[in-house]
């Protein structure tokens, strides 16, 4: 071919690509007519659909309903030949049509903008560090940090967050291919009220930063082995009981309690505990709304005696907690490359953590109590396998109270608990009110022994008719480091250190007649009873 022929072929290729909205290598009838119609309108011409369909049908030599490049080429050159146009005129016309088609595509939105599609492909290639043509969770989360720093207010930071990865992974294979990435990006862009040229500029800025990072080389830890609690629902015990059957010194002795779930190299640009947890959720194929606790085995203790420290990963914001310290440690040659994932539980989507009522609110809420009180205690609900919750919905009357009793400390104050209430409709059920209960020493307790640990009652007052959902999380996860140190454990305990009472769905109804106060009724797993504690098991 001569130089002129090469220019024609190149122009034909560019024109075909301008028509190919989804970059599939084929033109569908919809794509062909969409561009043809917009070009006619742009030129002030009346577009007749039947004429466009006829052109498509004539060009579609194999009657497949699609045009490949060769069919498009033959039909386009034939049309130019019938018009008696010179080579230069053909070249100029194709170049002009290509530019017009690209402009029309830009007007059609980000999905059809050729520049945006190309920028996304470039970004995908830069995300794909190992070059396997797919994005792994590690590559995704690492890139997320760069994108979050660059998009600012231009785009939704949720574009490539953890939830977006899971939503984009439509075939469920744990990685993203280019088509899944493109579709997820377009879905996000369609909800952004930004001009396509502004979106393109943002993507080009991200592309530039990623390219600079690629040139500098990405840093990450060596592969870290991930362990997850083996039982589907590990039991919850107080600290004084949780360590009893745990092996000391050697975590391998407790292999039945932990399942090895592959390895992950942690990018060193992760800044918070949530960044690490997001990567682990993706690696483990966990729903993005799953809360987890993560522990790592830290450096040797002073003097080198005993097992290494078991350390909880902390830090909600960059610069807080120990995420950076953990990544730095795991990058060292003598690091124990293990992460332990436990306390899996669902993150609420509609319920909000509610603060305790202030002192000035307390008296006012207690003054509205006028009926029965219903109680859920932590030992009945949580210890071991736990008992069933009351039937849903739990019907209460205005003025009645729900009391959820949780522990404050264990082993005479050695270990402390935290309790957080999550709920909606605080105008129906009040936010929790604290009331500390001193526990009397049982008759079977020896004289002179330690006093029982106090309990905390969270009181919720029914304020008006309506429905409310709430639960209380009880936790001593931040005490596990101390427990492991005291009892020389080489890994976190296999039991849960966070447990949930609830969710309880409450239906508050109008008081029927004059309310009467009665004794506190406790749920024993089967019925309400005046005695606290689980129902008695029948004799075999």
């Amino acid at each position: 071919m001569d130089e002129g022929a090469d220019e024609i072929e190149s122009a034909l290729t560019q024109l075909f690509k301008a028509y190919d909205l989804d970059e599939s290598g084929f033109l569908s009838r919809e794509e062909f007519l969409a561009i043809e119609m917009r070009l006619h309108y742009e030129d002030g011409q009346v577009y007749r659909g039947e004429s466009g369909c006829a052109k498509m049908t004539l060009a579609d030599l194999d009657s497949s309903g699609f045009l490949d490049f060769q069919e498009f080429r033959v039909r386009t050159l034939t049309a130019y030949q019938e018009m008696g146009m010179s080579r230069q005129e053909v070249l100029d016309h194709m170049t002009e049509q290509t530019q017009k088609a690209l402009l029309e595509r830009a007007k059609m939105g980000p999905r059809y903008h050729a520049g945006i599609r190309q920028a996304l492909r470039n970004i995908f290639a830069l995300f794909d560090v190992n070059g396997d043509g797919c994005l792994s969770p590690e590559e995704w989360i690492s890139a997320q940090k760069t994108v979050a720093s660059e998009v600012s207010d231009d785009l939704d930071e949720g574009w490539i967050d953890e939830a977006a990865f899971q939503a984009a992974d439509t075939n469920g294979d744990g990685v993203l291919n280019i088509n899944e990435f493109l579709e997820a990006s377009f879905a996000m862009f369609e909800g952004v009220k930004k001009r396509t040229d502004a979106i393109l500029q943002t993507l080009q800025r991200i592309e530039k930063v990623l390219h600079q990072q690629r040139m500098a080389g990405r840093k990450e830890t060596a592969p870290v082995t991930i362990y997850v609690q083996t039982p589907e629902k590990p039991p919850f015990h107080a600290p004084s009981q949780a360590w009893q059957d745990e092996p000391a010194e050697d975590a391998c002795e407790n292999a039945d309690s932990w399942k090895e779930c592959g390895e992950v190299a942690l990018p060193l640009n992760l800044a918070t505990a949530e960044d690490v947890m997001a990567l682990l959720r993706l690696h483990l194929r966990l729903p993005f709304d799953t809360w987890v606790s993560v522990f790592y085995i830290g450096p040797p203790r002073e003097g080198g005696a005993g097992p290494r420290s078991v350390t909880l990963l902390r830090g909600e914001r960059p610069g807080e907690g120990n995420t950076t310290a953990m990544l730095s440690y795991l990058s060292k040659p003598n690091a124990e490359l293990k992460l332990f994932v436990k306390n899996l539980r669902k993150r609420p989507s509609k319920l909000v953590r509610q603060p305790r009522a202030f002192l000035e609110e307390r008296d006012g809420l207690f003054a509205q109590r006028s009926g029965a009180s219903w109680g859920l205690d932590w030992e009945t609900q949580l210890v071991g396998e736990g008992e069933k919750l009351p039937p849903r919905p739990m019907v209460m009357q205005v003025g009645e109270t729900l009391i959820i009793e949780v522990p404050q400390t264990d082993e005479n104050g050695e270990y402390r608990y935290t309790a957080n209430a999550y709920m909606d409709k605080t105008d129906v059920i009040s936010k929790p009110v604290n009331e500390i209960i001193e526990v009397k020493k049982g008759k079977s307790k020896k004289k002179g022994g330690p006093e029982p640990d106090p309990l905390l009652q969270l009181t919720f007052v029914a304020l008006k008719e309506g429905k409310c959902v709430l639960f209380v999380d009880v936790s001593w996860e931040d005490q596990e480091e101390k427990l492991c140190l005291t009892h020389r454990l080489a890994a976190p305990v296999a039991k849960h250190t966070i447990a949930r009472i609830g969710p309880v769905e409450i239906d508050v109804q109008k008081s029927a007649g004059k309310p009467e106060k009665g004794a506190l009724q406790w749920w024993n797993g089967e019925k309400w009873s005046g005695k606290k504690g689980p129902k008695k098991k029948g004799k075999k």
Side-chain angles (χ1 to χ4, degrees), residues 185 289 342 382:
S185 299
D289 58 350
K342 59 181 294 186
L382 301 181

Side-chain angles (χ1 to χ4, degrees), residues 194-206:
K194 294 285 184 180
R195 291 170 54 92
T196 52
D197 56 350
I199 294 175
L200 178 59
Q201 290 176 5
T202 300
L203 294 178
Q204 289 172 337
R205 189 169 70 248
I206 293 171

Side-chain angles (χ1 to χ4, degrees), residues 331-346:
S331 301
K332 297 179 179 180
N334 66 343
E336 190 164 336
L337 300 173
K338 296 178 181 178
L339 287 181
F340 294 85
V341 180
K342 59 181 294 186
N343 295 325
L344 278 65
R345 62 208 186 278
K346 184 176 176 59

Side-chain angles (χ1 to χ4, degrees), residues 220-424:
E220 59 186 18
T221 68
V224 179
T225 304
I226 309 302
Y227 295 89
V228 181
Q229 284 169 304
T230 300
E232 182 176 344
K233 187 181 178 183
F236 175 84
H237 287 302
S240 56
Q241 300 295 321
W243 69 273
Q244 298 287 354
D245 57 354
E246 296 286 332
E249 306 291 341
D250 188 1
C252 296
E253 295 179 17
N254 205 20
D256 291 341
S257 298
W258 296 95
K259 179 181 178 181
E260 186 175 331
C261 296
E263 296 181 335
V264 173
L266 302 176
L268 297 184
N269 64 347
L270 303 182
T272 66
E274 180 58 29
D275 293 339
V276 178
M277 293 173 189
L279 174 55
L280 294 177
R281 280 190 290 263
L282 291 172
H283 173 76
L284 297 170
R285 309 278 187 89
L286 297 174
F288 71 91
D289 58 350
T290 301
W291 271 332
V292 298
S293 301
V294 178
F295 290 83
Y296 68 96
I297 308 303
R301 296 188 174 109
E302 292 184 13
R308 299 184 178 211
S309 59
V310 176
T311 307
L312 174 66
L313 184 64
R314 301 179 175 88
E316 294 184 0
R317 289 180 288 273
E320 297 181 352
N322 57 1
T323 302
T324 302
M326 180 196 72
L327 294 171
S328 176
Y329 164 68
L330 293 177
S331 301
K332 297 179 179 180
N334 66 343
E336 190 164 336
L337 300 173
K338 296 178 181 178
L339 287 181
F340 294 85
V341 180
K342 59 181 294 186
N343 295 325
L344 278 65
R345 62 208 186 278
K346 184 176 176 59
R347 175 193 298 158
S349 59
K350 296 181 180 179
L351 307 187
V352 179
R353 185 170 70 177
Q354 295 293 341
R356 315 289 167 80
F358 291 112
L359 292 176
E360 57 268 25
E361 298 175 285
R362 174 190 172 96
D363 293 340
L365 290 173
F366 276 167
Q368 298 184 58
R369 296 184 298 180
S370 59
S373 295
W374 311 97
L376 301 174
D377 70 287
W378 76 282
E379 289 185 295
T380 300
Q381 292 298 315
L382 301 181
V383 173
E385 296 181 358
E387 298 291 343
K388 293 181 180 179
L389 290 164
R392 301 178 68 174
M394 177 181 171
V395 178
M396 295 175 59
Q397 295 183 2
V398 174
E400 294 184 345
T401 57
L402 172 66
I403 294 174
I404 297 181
E405 188 175 84
V406 297
Q408 274 203 302
T409 58
D410 186 47
E411 289 202 328
N412 202 30
E414 181 67 23
Y415 303 100
R416 70 178 187 278
Y417 292 86
T418 60
N420 291 301
Y422 294 80
M423 58 188 298
D424 61 1

Side-chain angles (χ1 to χ4, degrees), residues 90-106:
V90 169
L91 184 60
D92 291 343
H93 188 265
M94 280 197 294
T95 302
E96 180 182 6
Q97 291 298 99
T98 299
Q99 294 300 318
K100 286 182 177 180
L102 293 174
L103 288 173
E104 290 307 310
R105 286 182 55 166

Side-chain angles (χ1 to χ4, degrees), residues 76-93:
T76 303
L77 292 179
T78 299
Y80 284 135
Q81 188 176 13
E82 291 174 350
M83 289 187 287
M85 298 176 70
S86 67
R87 175 174 293 156
Q88 189 59 49
E89 288 174 334
V90 169
L91 184 60
D92 291 343
H93 188 265

Side-chain angles (χ1 to χ4, degrees), residues 144-160 188-189 194 202-203 205-206:
Q144 176 191 353
K145 306 305 299 177
T146 300
V147 171
S149 67
E150 289 301 316
V151 297
S152 182
D153 296 328
D154 298 329
L155 297 175
D156 184 359
E157 289 186 21
W159 169 36
I160 67 159
M188 188 279 292
F189 294 158
K194 294 285 184 180
T202 300
L203 294 178
R205 189 169 70 248
I206 293 171

